C-alpha cells in the first residue's frame, strides 16, 4: 500500500514536470506562430447536369406535415371571399384564383404578379378568430419564395391593429422588419401558419420573388377560423 | 460579284456578327460545363498542368488555345479572368469561321457564301453557343476547315492539300470526340459525290489516288497536332492512348443517355419551332427552308458543276451527320451545330439561287427584301436569346443552365466575406454532390479556404465555420451539427435544384447591422 502511494506521488511529480516542460515548449511554438495550412478537398468534375424544364418532377423534402389541432367548430372562411392585390392586373391569371378552391399546380391555376415586393389581401367580411392560414405559392416546382410575410388586421389599410403572424424576411429586404421564421421549400402540402386565434377580418400576404425567377405567385390561400355566432 | 462588293459584304457581316456576339459577354451566369472548363483551364494557366480526362471535358484544344487570350489579357491566374475574358475565345473562333467561309467563294459561289455567312452570323443557336466557354465554336471552326481542305484535296489531290487537311482534321480530333461522326459524314459525302459522278463525268474525282506519300503526310500532320495536344506536349504520354480509349466511354454514354435522352426529332424540332409555356416562339425555319431550296439548286440542270458538286458534298455531309446525331439518343442542344453548319451552307446556296432565279428587276428586290426580313427576325431572336432570355428555361437553347438567382448567393457570400475579419480567406465548407455544386468553384476562385465534400459525414466539424453551402439533402444531415447557430437562406441553382447558404450567427449579425436603415419597399 505504501509502495503504491509512493509510486502515485512519483507519477504525479513526473506529470507536473512534463506539463511544465510542455508549457515551455508551447511558449516557444507560440513565438513562432504560423498559419495552419488546411488541406481542403477540391470540387469533383462532372458532366452536364440534368435539364429540367417541365414542372412537377420531384419533391426535395419528403416528410409529411404532422397533425395540426384547432378548436372545435373551425371552418374554412376564405372560400370565394374577395381579394385585393398590390397589382390588380396580374401578368398571368386573376386575383380571384386565390380563393377559388382550386389548388392544382398546373398552368391556369395560379396568379402571377410582377417582380419586387407584392401583396395580396383577403377580406373575410367580418372579424373572426383565426386558427390556421394555409398558403400555396407555386407547388409544381421546388422553389423558395422570399420575404414571405403574413399579417392580419381589422384595418383594410393595415395601418392600425396589425399583427404579423409569419415573417421570414430575415434580412429586412422588404423593410417591414426582420423576421425570425425560416424560409421553406414549396410543396403541394402548402405552408401552414398558426395565427393563434387572433381576431381579424383582413389577411395580407407579402412576397418578393423566388429562387426560380423574380415573379410572385399564388395558387391558393385558405383561412380557417371559428365564426362568431 | 466584284472583289470589292464581296469584301464589303463580308465586312458588314463580320460587324453584325461582332455586334451579336461581343456585348455583355459576362451577363449570363456560368453554366456548369463552362465552369468545369474554366477551372481546368485555370490549372493549365496557373500551374502548367493539363491531363486529358477520357471520361469528360472533351479534347485539349480549348485549354491550350485559351492561353494566348489569357496572356493577351495579362492574366497570370484564374482570378485575373472573368466570364467575358474566357468567352472571347469561342467568340473569336466563331468570327474566324466566317473568314473560313469567305474562302469557299470558288466552290460555293460568292453570293451563296455571303448568304451562308449572314445566316451563320445571326442564327440564334449559333450565336448563343458561340458565347459559351465550351468546345463547340472551336470544333466547328476545325470541322469547316477539314470540310474545305478535304473537298479541295478530293477535287485536286496535292501534298500541301493533304498536309493542311491533316492539320485541320488533327485539330478537330483534339477538340471533341464527336469528330468521328463528322469524319464519317465527310468521308461518306465524298464517296457519294464520286459515286454520283461515275458514268456522267468519269474524269471527275479520277485524280483521287491517295498515294502512300499523301496518306503519310495527312496522318503525320493530323497525328502531330493530336499527339502533341493529347500528351500535354509530351509530358503525359498516356493521354494519347486515352484519346482513343475515350471512345469506349462515349459509346457507353450514347447507349445510356439517362437524363439527356431525347427523341430522334429533338434537334429538328428545336430548330423548326420551340415554345415553352407562355414564353415566346423561337424558330429557325427560314434557314431550314432555304436549305431545301439549296438542295434543289444542286440538282437543277444548267448550273455550274463546280458549285453543284460542292453543294452535293455539303448536302451528303449534312444528311449523314444529321442522321447519326439524331440517331444517338444522348442529345444536348449544342450537339446540333456540326450538322447545322451544313444546313447553313446549303441555306446560303438556297438564298443565292432564289435571288438568281427571281425575275428582274422587281422580283429580285422582293426576294431580297423578304430574305432581309427573315434575317432580321433571326438576328432579333439572337439578341433576345442573349440579352433577355439568356438563362431563362423558356429559351430552347438554355439547357441545364445556372439560374440568375444563384448569382444572388454569390453576391451574398462576397458581401459576407467583406465583413469577416479574414475577408476572402474565411473558411467555406461546401457539402453537396457535384451537380449541386457547380459553377460555385468558379465564383469562389478568389477565396482561399474553400473545401468541397459530397457527404456531410466526411466534412469534419462545423463549429466556428462561418459559411456552409449545402444541398437540401445534405443540409438535413448537417442540421444537428449546425444547431441554432446559423441563418439559412435558399437559392436556386437551376430549376428544381436548390442550395442552402448557412451563415454563422455572429457573421449574420454583422451583416444585419449593414442593413439598418433599409427603407420599406412595400407598394401601397
Amino acid at each position: 500500500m505504501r509502495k503504491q502511494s509512493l509510486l502515485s506521488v512519483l507519477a504525479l511529480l513526473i506529470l507536473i514536470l512534463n506539463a511544465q516542460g510542455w508549457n515551455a515548449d508551447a511558449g516557444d511554438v507560440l513565438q513562432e506562430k504560423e498559419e495552419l495550412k488546411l488541406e481542403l478537398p477540391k470540387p469533383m468534375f462532372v458532366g452536364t447536369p440534368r435539364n429540367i424544364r417541365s414542372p412537377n418532377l420531384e419533391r426535395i423534402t419528403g416528410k409529411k406535415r404532422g397533425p395540426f389541432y384547432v378548436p372545435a367548430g373551425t371552418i374554412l372562411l376564405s372560400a370565394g371571399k374577395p381579394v385585393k392585390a398590390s397589382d390588380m392586373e396580374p401578368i398571368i391569371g386573376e386575383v380571384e384564383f386565390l380563393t377559388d378552391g382550386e389548388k392544382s399546380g398546373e398552368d391556369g391555376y395560379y396568379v402571377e404578379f410582377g417582380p419586387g415586393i407584392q401583396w395580396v389581401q383577403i377580406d373575410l367580411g367580418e372579424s373572426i378568430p383565426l386558427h390556421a392560414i394555409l398558403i400555396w405559392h407555386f407547388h409544381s416546382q421546388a422553389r423558395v419564395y422570399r420575404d414571405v410575410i403574413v399579417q392580419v388586421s381589422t384595418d383594410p389599410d393595415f395601418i392600425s391593429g396589425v399583427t404579423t403572424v409569419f415573417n421570414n424576411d430575415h434580412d429586412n429586404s422588404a423593410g417591414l422588419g426582420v423576421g425570425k421564421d425560416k424560409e421553406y421549400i414549396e410543396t403541394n402540402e402548402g405552408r401552414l401558419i398558426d395565427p393563434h386565434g387572433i381576431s381579424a377580418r383582413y389577411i395580407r400576404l407579402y412576397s418578393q420573388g423566388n429562387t426560380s425567377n423574380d415573379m410572385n405567385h399564388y395558387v391558393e390561400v385558405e383561412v380557417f377560423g371559428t365564426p362568431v355566432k | 460579284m466584284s472583289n470589292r462588293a464581296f469584301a464589303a459584304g463580308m465586312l458588314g457581316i463580320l460587324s453584325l456578327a461582332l455586334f451579336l456576339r461581343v456585348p455583355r459577354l459576362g451577363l449570363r451566369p456560368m453554366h456548369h460545363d463552362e465552369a468545369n472548363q474554366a477551372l481546368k483551364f485555370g490549372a493549365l494557366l496557373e500551374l502548367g498542368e493539363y491531363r486529358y480526362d477520357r471520361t469528360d471535358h472533351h479534347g485539349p484544344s480549348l485549354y491550350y488555345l485559351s492561353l494566348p487570350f489569357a496572356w493577351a489579357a495579362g492574366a497570370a491566374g484564374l482570378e485575373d479572368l472573368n466570364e467575358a475574358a474566357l468567352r472571347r475565345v469561342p467568340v473569336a473562333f466563331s468570327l474566324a469561321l466566317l473568314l473560313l467561309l469567305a474562302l469557299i467563294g470558288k466552290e460555293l459561289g460568292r453570293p451563296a457564301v455571303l448568304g451562308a455567312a449572314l445566316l451563320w452570323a445571326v442564327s440564334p443557336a449559333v450565336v448563343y453557343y458561340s458565347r459559351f466557354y465550351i468546345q463547340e465554336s472551336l470544333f466547328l471552326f476545325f470541322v469547316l476547315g477539314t470540310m474545305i481542305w478535304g473537298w479541295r484535296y478530293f477535287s485536286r489531290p496535292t501534298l500541301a492539300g493533304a498536309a493542311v487537311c491533316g492539320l485541320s482534321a488533327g485539330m478537330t480530333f483534339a477538340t471533341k470526340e464527336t469528330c468521328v461522326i463528322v469524319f464519317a459524314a465527310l468521308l461518306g459525302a465524298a464517296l457519294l459525290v464520286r459515286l454520283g459522278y461515275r458514268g456522267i463525268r468519269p474524269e471527275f474525282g479520277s485524280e483521287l489516288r491517295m498515294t502512300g506519300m499523301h496518306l503519310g503526310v495527312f496522318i503525320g500532320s493530323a497525328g502531330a497536332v493530336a499527339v502533341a495536344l493529347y500528351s500535354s506536349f509530351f509530358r503525359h504520354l498516356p493521354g494519347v492512348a486515352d484519346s482513343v480509349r475515350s471512345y469506349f466511354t462515349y459509346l457507353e454514354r450514347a447507349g445510356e443517355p439517362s437524363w439527356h435522352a431525347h427523341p430522334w426529332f429533338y434537334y429538328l424540332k428545336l430548330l423548326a419551332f420551340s415554345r415553352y409555356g407562355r414564353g415566346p416562339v423561337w424558330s429557325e425555319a427560314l434557314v431550314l427552308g432555304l436549305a431545301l431550296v439549296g438542295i434543289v439548286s444542286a440538282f437543277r440542270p444548267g448550273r455550274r458543276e463546280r458549285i453543284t458538286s460542292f453543294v452535293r458534298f455539303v448536302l451528303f455531309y449534312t444528311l449523314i451527320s444529321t442522321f447519326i446525331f439524331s440517331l444517338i439518343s444522348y442529345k444536348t442542344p449544342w450537339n446540333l451545330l456540326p450538322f447545322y453548319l451544313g444546313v447553313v451552307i446549303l441555306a446560303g446556296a438556297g438564298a443565292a439561287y432564289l435571288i438568281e432565279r427571281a425575275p428582274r428587276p422587281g422580283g429580285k428586290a422582293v426576294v431580297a427584301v423578304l430574305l432581309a426580313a427573315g434575317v432580321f427576325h433571326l438576328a432579333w431572336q439572337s439578341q433576345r436569346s442573349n440579352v433577355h432570355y439568356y438563362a431563362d428555361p423558356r429559351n430552347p437553347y438554355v439547357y441545364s443552365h445556372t439560374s440568375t438567382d444563384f448569382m444572388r448567393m454569390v453576391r451574398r457570400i462576397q458581401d459576407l466575406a467583406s465583413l469577416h475579419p479574414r475577408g476572402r480567406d474565411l473558411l467555406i465548407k461546401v457539402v453537396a454532390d457535384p451537380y449541386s455544386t457547380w459553377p460555385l468553384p468558379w465564383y469562389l476562385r478568389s477565396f482561399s479556404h474553400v473545401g468541397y465534400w459530397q457527404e456531410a459525414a466526411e466534412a469534419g466539424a462545423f463549429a466556428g465555420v462561418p459559411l456552409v453551402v449545402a444541398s437540401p439533402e445534405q443540409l438535413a444531415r448537417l442540421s444537428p451539427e449546425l444547431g441554432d447557430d446559423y441563418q439559412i437562406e435558399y437559392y436556386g441553382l437551376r430549376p428544381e435544384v436548390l442550395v442552402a447558404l448557412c451563415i454563422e450567427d455572429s457573421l449574420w449579425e454583422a451583416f444585419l447591422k449593414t442593413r439598418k436603415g433599409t427603407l420599406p419597399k412595400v407598394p401601397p
Side-chain angles (χ1 to χ4, degrees):
Chain A
M1 187 70 180
R2 187 177 292 168
K3 201 174 175 181
Q4 277 181 340
S5 301
L6 273 170
L7 278 171
S8 301
V9 171
L10 196 65
L12 193 66
L13 272 170
I14 290 166
L15 268 174
I16 290 166
L17 285 170
N18 269 345
Q20 281 175 338
W22 184 84
N23 280 337
D25 291 346
D28 293 343
V29 171
L30 278 173
Q31 280 169 359
E32 293 171 20
K33 232 177 171 181
E34 63 174 24
E35 189 192 339
L36 176 66
K37 297 283 181 199
L38 293 171
E39 281 291 324
L40 297 168
K42 290 193 177 340
M44 190 185 144
F45 292 106
V46 286
T48 311
R50 181 183 193 175
N51 181 49
I52 299 170
R53 213 186 290 275
S54 57
N56 241 340
L57 288 165
E58 59 190 77
R59 299 270 70 80
I60 286 179
T61 50
K63 284 183 185 170
K64 289 256 174 208
R65 185 172 49 231
F68 182 77
Y69 299 99
V70 292
T74 297
I75 59 163
L76 175 63
L77 304 167
S78 55
K81 289 292 190 299
V83 181
K84 238 171 80 173
S86 50
D87 179 1
M88 287 303 284
E89 290 180 7
I91 295 166
I92 297 172
E94 307 294 336
V95 293
E96 289 78 19
F97 286 5
L98 259 87
T99 54
D100 67 356
E102 297 281 1
K103 297 166 207 164
S104 168
E106 292 166 26
D107 276 0
Y109 293 94
Y110 66 84
V111 55
E112 178 179 278
F113 299 97
I117 189 153
Q118 299 279 0
W119 57 259
V120 292
Q121 184 175 314
I122 300 168
D123 179 3
L124 299 177
E126 58 180 323
S127 201
I128 301 170
L130 307 178
H131 301 297
I133 300 170
L134 200 46
I135 309 164
W136 291 265
H137 280 107
F138 187 92
H139 58 86
S140 57
Q141 192 185 63
R143 53 169 75 165
V144 172
Y145 280 79
R146 301 235 160 78
D147 302 347
V148 176
I149 303 166
V150 183
Q151 295 180 329
V152 297
S153 179
T154 48
D155 175 9
D157 297 322
F158 280 71
I159 293 167
S160 60
V162 179
T163 306
T164 300
V165 294
F166 186 90
N167 182 353
N168 68 10
D169 179 14
H170 59 290
D171 60 356
N172 198 23
S173 49
L176 291 172
V178 173
K180 293 290 177 193
D181 293 300
K182 302 285 183 197
E183 289 186 332
Y184 60 90
I185 300 169
E186 290 285 321
T187 71
N188 58 355
E189 282 194 317
R191 182 68 179 185
L192 183 66
I193 291 164
D194 185 356
H196 299 291
I198 294 168
S199 282
R201 175 176 168 175
Y202 303 98
I203 295 91
R204 188 180 273 197
L205 305 101
Y206 298 87
S207 64
Q208 184 164 220
N210 64 82
T211 49
S212 286
N213 52 56
D214 292 335
M215 303 301 177
N216 295 278
H217 306 93
Y218 290 92
V219 169
E220 188 75 9
V221 175
E222 289 186 337
V223 183
F224 296 86
T226 42
V228 183
K229 289 172 185 169
Chain B
M1 184 180 281
S2 70
N3 286 345
R4 188 173 288 183
F6 183 66
M10 283 306 298
L11 204 64
I13 290 166
L14 269 172
S15 308
L16 180 61
L18 264 169
F19 169 75
L20 290 172
R21 283 159 176 77
V22 174
R24 303 193 211 186
L25 267 176
L27 181 66
R28 183 170 43 76
M30 286 289 259
H31 187 277
H32 169 113
D33 292 1
E34 286 184 291
N36 265 243
Q37 312 287 18
L39 267 279
K40 277 191 89 73
F41 170 61
L44 177 64
L45 178 66
E46 292 168 4
L47 310 167
E49 280 178 8
Y50 173 76
R51 294 282 181 275
Y52 172 64
D53 172 8
R54 69 184 170 89
T55 59
D56 227 316
H57 301 101
H58 305 304
S61 67
L62 174 68
Y63 312 109
Y64 283 104
L65 291 171
S66 297
L67 282 173
F69 289 83
W71 293 332
L78 219 48
E79 273 186 58
D80 304 326
L81 293 169
N82 56 22
E83 293 87 328
L86 286 175
R87 288 170 181 161
R88 278 185 204 119
V89 181
V91 165
F93 277 88
S94 181
L95 296 171
L97 188 144
L98 291 173
L99 297 176
L100 268 189
L101 274 177
L103 298 180
I104 54 170
K106 276 188 185 170
E107 286 86 352
L108 192 64
R110 283 180 167 178
V113 166
L114 287 179
L118 185 58
L119 292 170
W120 192 257
V122 300
S123 155
V126 175
V127 176
Y128 190 75
Y129 293 121
S130 67
R131 293 161 58 98
F132 252 67
Y133 187 65
I134 53 175
Q135 279 79 4
E136 307 312 306
S137 271
L138 286 74
F139 185 62
L140 295 166
F141 175 81
F142 296 124
V143 166
L144 183 61
T146 310
M147 183 190 280
I148 293 171
W149 277 285
W151 173 254
R152 286 184 178 173
Y153 182 84
F154 173 74
S155 307
R156 192 164 168 269
T158 62
L159 204 59
V164 178
C165 185
L167 278 176
S168 208
M171 286 306 295
T172 310
F173 177 70
T175 304
K176 209 174 168 194
E177 294 77 1
T178 44
C179 66
V180 286
I181 299 171
V182 169
F183 292 156
L186 287 173
L187 195 65
L191 291 174
L192 282 171
V193 170
R194 196 178 179 200
L195 207 66
Y197 278 94
R198 187 174 289 167
I200 302 169
R201 277 196 56 194
E203 73 276 20
F204 189 86
S206 60
E207 288 180 60
L208 186 60
R209 302 271 188 274
M210 199 174 215
T211 61
M213 173 75 93
H214 285 192
L215 191 64
V217 167
F218 174 81
I219 292 173
S221 55
V225 287
V227 168
L229 288 167
Y230 275 110
S231 67
S232 314
F233 287 91
F234 312 105
R235 285 185 293 177
H236 179 64
L237 289 175
V240 181
D242 282 347
S243 73
V244 179
R245 287 165 68 200
S246 69
Y247 287 95
F248 295 104
T249 310
Y250 284 93
L251 206 62
E252 199 176 311
R253 193 171 297 168
E256 294 172 6
S258 69
W259 56 58
H260 297 299
H262 296 285
W264 68 267
F265 52 83
Y266 171 76
Y267 294 129
L268 296 175
K269 187 181 174 299
L270 198 69
L271 290 166
F273 180 88
S274 296
R275 191 178 188 203
Y276 296 100
R278 292 164 187 266
V281 170
W282 306 80
S283 175
E284 302 198 33
L286 173 73
V287 183
L288 299 178
L290 287 174
L292 289 176
V293 177
I295 294 169
V296 171
S297 77
F299 294 95
R300 297 290 291 175
R303 308 208 74 225
R304 282 163 61 192
E305 196 173 276
R306 180 191 281 170
I307 290 176
T308 54
S309 57
F310 181 70
V311 174
R312 287 179 197 188
F313 171 64
V314 176
L315 164 66
F316 293 137
Y317 160 78
T318 308
L319 288 177
I320 296 169
S321 56
T322 305
F323 177 76
I324 299 174
F325 277 110
S326 298
L327 203 65
I328 298 168
S329 50
Y330 180 100
K331 292 184 179 73
T332 51
W334 46 85
N335 273 329
L336 65 83
L337 292 171
F339 73 79
Y340 197 51
L341 174 65
V343 173
V344 169
I345 294 172
L346 291 173
Y353 181 69
L354 277 182
I355 293 175
E356 181 193 312
R357 299 290 295 175
R360 281 178 185 274
K364 287 191 193 303
V366 168
V367 172
V369 167
L370 285 175
L371 288 176
V375 166
F376 177 81
H377 180 243
L378 288 169
W380 174 69
Q381 288 184 78
S382 284
Q383 189 70 354
R384 184 175 68 182
S385 170
N386 289 296
V387 176
H388 301 295
Y389 288 83
Y390 53 87
D392 191 318
R394 289 172 294 182
N395 176 346
Y397 304 116
V398 167
Y399 191 84
S400 309
H401 205 90
T402 309
S403 155
T404 51
D405 193 57
F406 183 76
M407 298 309 295
R408 289 198 178 102
M409 184 174 87
V410 173
R411 284 193 289 275
R412 183 74 103 200
I413 292 173
Q414 288 165 349
D415 288 347
L416 290 162
S418 69
L419 298 169
H420 195 272
R422 291 179 64 91
R424 293 198 172 204
D425 292 328
L426 88 170
L427 177 61
I428 302 174
K429 288 195 170 189
V430 181
V431 190
D433 66 278
Y435 290 117
S436 302
T437 298
W438 292 92
L440 193 60
W442 161 258
Y443 288 108
L444 297 184
R445 66 194 184 284
S446 62
F447 288 75
S448 59
H449 289 76
V450 189
Y452 297 88
W453 294 266
Q454 294 192 49
E455 289 292 332
E458 298 164 354
F462 283 83
V465 178
L467 291 177
V468 178
V469 178
S471 62
E473 185 193 15
Q474 294 302 323
L475 182 65
R477 291 173 196 169
L478 281 173
S479 292
E481 282 265 8
L482 300 179
D484 294 327
D485 301 332
Y486 285 82
Q487 176 69 47
I488 296 169
E489 297 180 323
Y490 285 98
Y491 292 91
L493 171 56
R494 292 187 299 278
E496 294 280 354
V497 183
L498 298 171
V499 283
L501 174 64
C502 313
I503 307 149
E504 197 265 327
D505 273 346
S506 61
L507 185 56
W508 180 250
E509 291 303 323
F511 175 75
L512 273 190
K513 282 179 191 162
T514 67
R515 306 286 295 200
K516 272 190 177 170
T518 306
L519 292 171
K521 297 178 190 167
V522 178

